[in-house]
Amino acid sequence: MLLEFEKPIVELETKLADMKQLALDSGVDVSDAVAKLEEKIETLKTETYRNLTRWQRVQLSRHVDRPYTFDYIHEITDEFIEIHGDRGVADDKAMVGGFGRIGQETFMFIGQQKGRNTKERQERRFGMPNPEGYRKALRLMRMAEKFNKPIVCLIDTPGAYPGLEAEERGQGEAIARNLKEMFSLKVPVICIVIGEGASGGALGIAIGDRVMMLENTWYSVISPESCSSILWRSWEFKEQAAEALKLTAEDMQSFGLVDKIIPEPLGGAHTDLKAMSKILKEEILSTVQELSAMSESDRIIQRIDKFSDMGVVVE
Amino acid sequence: MSWFQRTDKGIKTSTKDKMDAPEGLWYKTPSGSIIHMRELKANAYVCPEDGYHVRIGSKEYFEILFDNNEFKELDASLSSGDPLNFVDSKPYPKRLKKVQEKTKLVDACRTAVGKMNQLEVVVACMDFSFIGGSMGSVVGEKISRAIDHALKHKIPFIMISKSGGARMMEAGYSLMQMAKTSAKLHLLSEAKVPYVSYLTDPTTGGVTASYAMLGDFNISEPGALIGFAGPRVIRETIGRDLPEGFQSAEFVLEHGFLDFIVDRRHVKSKLSSLLKMLK
């Protein structure tokens, strides 16, 4: 499945592949034409991805081929052991986590997980955790703290699950508790939005010493569709809602609400998982190193101060 | 033959010309009880006949909680900016101005310090009449400063929530108010200063998923709607009707997320007793 703005690029790429094949089959030298076409593709790509609208970024963040939490964990770590369950009610498959080793260092990875096929999507509720998910995440964070391992949260959710059981078991309380408890974690906490960062469902694992966003992701209080349905009373104004919400990585960084933008390969993370994972891994390693140089109390004070400063008011 | 002949069908008055109903002398509860406003006021806005808790705002809650309605308001003039230049059907600053004129409020939360049965308390109270009690930067900042005040003077903090959730017009900034207020509550908790979260009808969305659920004591009023997702969204998700009483204070108490439900007429004495026990 291709997005509208991906189509012209893929068309040219197909043409290029055909041309190369033809040259191979016929033995005719087409290197000039190939070089020209390659240049054209590069220009088109650069132009397209430099001028993406906010809504197009949202589309990229939800691309069917977009890498999910486990894709990155498996690429980044040399060894990973998944840990299940909240020790209370269930194991929420929309929220996953476990210890991962990179070289000699161990990290706690936690993140929302979406599914690749229909069955898995249902099982993981499209990456929308239940309260058990948030409680499992908190359990893993406390475990990381106990064994003095840094925490990496990968955020990718259309929101916390709005279901009957979720309400019965205290969805609001589960998220609220995480927000408060994450301010007391003694180990370094890095949070990275890798896809969708919708509202409290995202924030529930996103209180970090460093909060970063991949280039083609969004993070806001509500999805453009829901915002459209509430403020415009129709689902049709999602593009406008996306513009109004200013929900891209660039927007969020300019407001000082996230610390950093992590660049994606040209064309988006899904076009080159290996390259994206390499960038992500380097970012995680260097950030943890930087944070580890600080004292526990300094990290906590800085974390609290950072979020306390967020907001625009008129005195 | 009727006495009056309607010539045109439908309502002709345009929405902008519609008048808000003036505050009447009489109030009718959903069950049909009719009560005089003076009597309602004397009963903490609870109908004596059927116990219905009328939705009220910060003015009334301050009146109910503070001795002789005496209190010092904190950060009264703090108002919203428009960091996103947000425009939906109208620009956000215009919407704010209109609501401010209509409600005579500056934003959706007021904070004050005063005495409740001689016990000093900091009270923050949300106003639902101001854009659905939505939480933007001002609400977050006022609550944060109120907590700072409680922390500095070691005074118990009472938060009266009444909100549809975060304010969309401040998008990312609104979301981060959940984090900010939770950070402050963490500090209050570390200092062992009591925090009572008083959830009133309705408390939903980002407010439920942050400070409203973080009380040492989470208390509510009979029949109040409390939830994370709104009932309509849940109904659409699960594709069937919701059971009766779903997301009511009684339901939330039953599932273990409230400490107790209290009749508004007794909330002042019960909270005073509780906080005095902790001294």
Side-chain angles (χ1 to χ4, degrees):
Chain A
M1 272 260 287
L2 291 174
L3 298 170
E4 271 312 312
F5 56 87
E6 286 180 315
K7 280 177 187 164
I9 296 167
V10 172
E11 255 169 49
L12 288 184
E13 280 173 343
T14 314
K15 208 165 142 189
L16 180 68
D18 288 349
M19 196 185 279
K20 281 180 177 167
Q21 188 60 46
L22 189 75
L24 215 60
D25 294 346
S26 63
V28 180
D29 182 19
V30 288
S31 53
D32 268 7
V34 166
K36 245 183 208 160
L37 195 55
E38 274 173 343
E39 200 190 310
K40 198 174 164 193
I41 292 172
E42 202 57 24
T43 316
L44 180 63
K45 263 189 171 175
T46 314
E47 278 300 303
T48 306
Y49 290 96
R50 192 192 295 140
N51 298 314
L52 288 180
T53 66
R54 291 185 171 94
W55 174 248
Q56 286 170 330
R57 299 255 186 220
V58 173
Q59 286 181 304
L60 272 179
S61 78
R62 299 171 177 166
H63 199 288
V64 283
D65 299 325
R66 182 115 190 139
Y68 299 148
T69 296
F70 272 145
D71 298 321
Y72 288 127
I73 290 177
H74 292 140
E75 283 293 328
I76 289 171
T77 61
D78 300 314
E79 193 180 3
F80 175 72
I81 298 175
E82 190 181 355
I83 296 169
H84 295 273
D86 72 334
R87 290 282 198 277
V89 171
D91 178 46
D92 189 348
K93 292 174 179 57
M95 182 78 82
V96 299
F99 282 118
R101 185 176 56 77
I102 305 176
Q104 298 305 309
E105 308 265 350
T106 303
F107 300 80
M108 172 58 81
F109 286 91
I110 296 168
Q112 290 101 349
Q113 176 69 33
K114 294 177 174 174
R116 284 278 168 220
N117 53 46
T118 310
K119 185 168 167 278
E120 199 198 351
R121 281 192 194 106
Q122 271 176 347
E123 212 171 66
R124 302 195 186 278
R125 287 187 308 286
F126 300 87
M128 294 187 275
N130 267 333
E132 299 79 76
Y134 293 99
R135 292 181 182 127
K136 168 174 156 183
L138 185 58
R139 181 173 85 86
L140 299 193
M141 289 181 212
R142 287 297 180 203
M143 181 144 65
E145 182 181 47
K146 179 174 172 179
F147 298 112
N148 198 27
K149 304 299 175 202
I151 298 166
V152 179
C153 292
L154 301 178
I155 292 120
D156 186 14
T157 181
Y161 191 66
L164 198 102
E165 289 83 9
E167 293 293 317
E168 286 178 343
R169 297 196 289 267
Q171 188 71 285
E173 194 273 346
I175 294 171
R177 177 165 306 275
N178 281 17
L179 302 186
K180 185 178 165 204
E181 301 270 325
M182 287 184 84
F183 281 108
S184 67
L185 290 168
K186 295 191 180 80
V187 291
V189 185
I190 306 175
C191 304
I192 305 167
V193 182
I194 58 165
E196 300 188 84
S199 199
L203 192 65
I205 57 162
I207 306 295
D209 299 308
R210 294 287 182 277
V211 181
M212 304 181 258
M213 290 174 75
L214 297 195
E215 193 183 338
N216 297 307
T217 61
W218 67 274
Y219 190 14
S220 193
V221 76
I222 192 165
S223 73
E225 288 92 337
S226 301
C227 178
S228 161
S229 90
I230 295 171
L231 291 184
W232 282 268
R233 300 191 187 283
S234 149
W235 296 91
E236 297 307 306
F237 296 85
K238 49 189 192 286
E239 282 98 341
Q240 259 162 282
E243 288 299 315
L245 287 168
K246 302 200 168 56
L247 39 58
T248 64
E250 214 173 300
D251 293 323
M252 289 294 278
Q253 193 198 31
S254 76
F255 302 146
L257 301 179
V258 302
D259 300 302
K260 193 172 181 178
I261 302 170
I262 302 174
E264 293 184 18
L266 193 62
H270 65 284
T271 60
D272 196 342
L273 172 63
K274 292 243 182 282
M276 185 70 251
S277 302
K278 188 164 174 277
I279 297 171
L280 204 55
K281 181 172 166 176
E282 278 161 13
E283 193 62 54
I284 291 169
L285 290 175
S286 66
T287 309
V288 165
Q289 193 176 25
E290 181 198 332
L291 291 170
S292 299
M294 296 169 70
S295 72
E296 277 173 21
S297 60
D298 281 355
R299 267 196 310 262
I300 291 176
I301 291 169
Q302 204 187 70
R303 199 184 300 154
I304 292 173
D305 286 349
K306 182 174 78 171
F307 282 93
S308 297
D309 283 343
M310 292 178 183
V312 172
V313 295
V314 183
E315 293 279 345
Chain B
M1 239 322 253
S2 51
W3 282 30
F4 299 100
Q5 190 66 43
R6 188 170 193 154
T7 52
D8 296 329
K9 276 196 176 153
I11 296 162
K12 295 287 166 194
T13 316
S14 73
T15 311
K16 74 173 172 52
D17 294 329
K18 260 199 321 201
M19 308 272 272
D20 286 311
E23 204 180 329
L25 275 177
W26 298 90
Y27 188 90
K28 189 177 175 188
T29 70
S31 78
S33 301
I34 290 169
I35 178 173
H36 196 275
M37 279 310 281
R38 196 172 48 226
E39 203 190 342
L40 199 59
K41 198 176 165 188
N43 275 289
Y45 301 87
V46 176
C47 174
E49 244 175 81
D50 61 7
Y52 180 74
H53 283 57
V54 176
R55 210 178 261 182
I56 53 174
S58 58
K59 179 174 170 284
E60 291 80 13
Y61 275 111
F62 286 171
E63 233 170 71
I64 290 165
L65 292 179
F66 288 121
D67 298 341
N68 310 314
N69 199 22
E70 283 168 11
F71 56 87
K72 192 180 119 215
E73 189 164 349
L74 306 168
D75 308 298
S77 62
L78 219 60
S79 65
S80 292
D82 180 20
L84 303 182
N85 296 314
F86 196 97
V87 182
D88 52 282
S89 57
K90 62 174 88 114
Y92 180 43
K94 237 182 192 168
R95 188 182 293 278
L96 281 171
K97 197 154 174 271
K98 205 173 158 195
V99 179
Q100 282 165 345
E101 280 164 12
K102 191 173 135 189
T103 59
K104 307 275 180 278
L105 294 164
V106 184
D107 210 285
C109 181
R110 285 171 71 215
T111 53
V113 57
K115 289 203 162 84
M116 180 176 77
N117 288 328
Q118 290 90 52
L119 185 83
E120 186 128 64
V121 287
V122 175
V123 180
C125 183
M126 304 189 74
D127 279 289
F128 195 74
S129 58
F130 198 97
I131 321 186
S134 54
M135 167 183 56
S137 298
V138 171
V139 171
E141 182 66 22
K142 278 180 125 176
I143 293 171
S144 298
R145 291 191 195 180
I147 297 169
D148 285 342
H149 190 92
L151 198 56
K152 189 173 165 199
H153 302 279
K154 302 263 186 246
I155 310 169
F157 176 55
I158 301 170
M159 174 76 231
I160 306 172
S161 293
K162 188 182 278 294
S163 168
R167 189 174 295 171
M168 270 176 281
M169 300 81 165
E170 291 182 36
Y173 287 100
S174 295
L175 181 64
M176 296 308 160
Q177 303 312 307
M178 294 169 65
K180 174 175 171 171
T181 51
S182 302
K184 295 290 182 182
L185 288 172
H186 160 65
L187 295 174
L188 194 69
S189 183
E190 294 274 285
K192 298 188 167 42
V193 177
Y195 167 39
V196 176
S197 171
Y198 182 4
L199 296 86
T200 69
D201 185 63
T203 299
T204 60
V207 170
T208 306
S210 58
Y211 53 83
M213 274 293 166
L214 290 174
D216 295 307
F217 311 97
N218 295 335
I219 70 167
S220 186
E221 294 177 349
L225 174 82
I226 301 166
F228 172 66
R232 188 180 56 83
V233 178
I234 300 169
R235 209 179 299 121
E236 281 169 10
T237 307
I238 64 171
R240 58 190 150 98
D241 280 338
L242 301 170
E244 191 151 340
F246 181 68
Q247 296 187 315
S248 66
E250 292 74 11
F251 169 96
V252 181
L253 178 77
E254 200 57 41
H255 284 91
F257 295 98
L258 288 179
D259 293 78
F260 55 81
I261 293 172
V262 60
D263 187 307
R264 198 189 284 150
R265 288 166 290 191
H266 309 132
V267 70
K268 181 175 177 177
S269 69
K270 191 157 180 176
L271 279 187
S272 310
S273 300
L274 176 66
L275 292 175
K276 277 173 188 164
M277 278 188 213
L278 303 177
K279 284 204 110 178

